[in-house]
C-alpha cells in the first residue's frame, strides 16, 4: 500500500448509523435504477435470471421497480423472489426456483 493512501485515511471518521442519511436524491435514485435496469437486464437476458443483494426495504422496493420496468420493456413478466433476508432473485418464466424435493 502506498504512503499517500495511508496518509489520506488518517482523517476518515466513521459516521454513526443514526447520523447517516441513507436515502438517495431523486437524481441519484434515477441513475441507480438506470444502472440496475441495464446490468440486471443484461444478465437476465443472458441467463434467464439474476441475483442481487437487498439489505433494506428500500433495496427490495428498488429491485421490484426495476423488475416492473423490465417487464414493460420486454413485454414479458420478470418475477422477483426473495432468496433469503439479504438477496433477491429476478427471473423470467421458467427460471423460477423450484421447491426442494420437486
Amino acid at each position: 500500500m502506498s504512503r499517500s493512501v495511508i496518509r489520506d485515511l488518517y482523517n476518515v471518521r466513521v459516521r454513526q448509523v443514526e447520523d447517516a442519511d441513507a436515502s438517495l436524491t431523486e437524481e441519484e435514485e434515477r441513475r441507480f435504477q438506470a444502472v440496475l435496469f441495464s446490468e440486471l437486464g443484461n444478465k437476465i437476458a443472458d441467463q434467464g435470471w439474476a441475483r442481487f443483494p437487498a439489505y433494506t426495504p428500500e433495496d427490495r422496493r428498488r429491485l421490484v421497480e426495476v423488475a416492473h420496468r423490465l417487464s414493460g420493456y420486454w413485454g414479458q413478466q420478470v418475477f422477483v423472489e426473495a432468496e433469503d433476508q439479504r438477496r433477491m432473485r429476478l427471473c423470467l418464466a421458467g427460471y423460477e426456483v423450484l421447491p426442494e424435493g420437486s
Side-chain angles (χ1 to χ4, degrees):
M1 186 179 286
S2 74
R3 287 179 173 249
S4 63
V5 172
I6 293 172
R7 184 187 72 233
D8 291 343
L9 294 178
Y10 283 130
N11 292 323
V12 174
R13 292 185 179 81
V14 177
R15 289 175 53 178
Q16 297 299 321
V17 174
E18 57 272 0
D19 293 341
D21 181 16
S23 61
L24 300 176
T25 65
E26 284 185 37
E27 176 66 16
E28 291 169 334
E29 181 69 32
R30 186 189 59 73
R31 291 172 59 198
F32 186 44
Q33 284 197 25
V35 169
L36 287 175
F37 180 86
S38 175
E39 295 296 321
L40 294 176
N42 287 337
K43 193 164 189 177
I44 294 167
D46 289 343
Q47 65 186 26
W49 62 274
R51 180 179 289 134
F52 199 79
Y55 298 104
T56 66
E58 188 67 20
D59 292 337
R60 291 185 282 280
R61 179 204 53 80
R62 190 174 288 124
L63 290 173
V64 168
E65 286 182 19
V66 168
H68 287 301
R69 286 183 56 206
L70 286 168
S71 294
Y73 183 74
W74 287 333
Q76 62 178 318
Q77 179 88 28
V78 175
F79 298 95
V80 182
E81 305 166 339
E83 287 193 322
D84 56 32
Q85 291 180 345
R86 292 177 268 168
R87 287 185 303 187
M88 301 284 284
R89 189 172 188 274
L90 285 72
C91 63
L92 297 172
Y95 291 91
E96 300 95 339
V97 176
L98 296 174
E100 290 187 31
S102 295

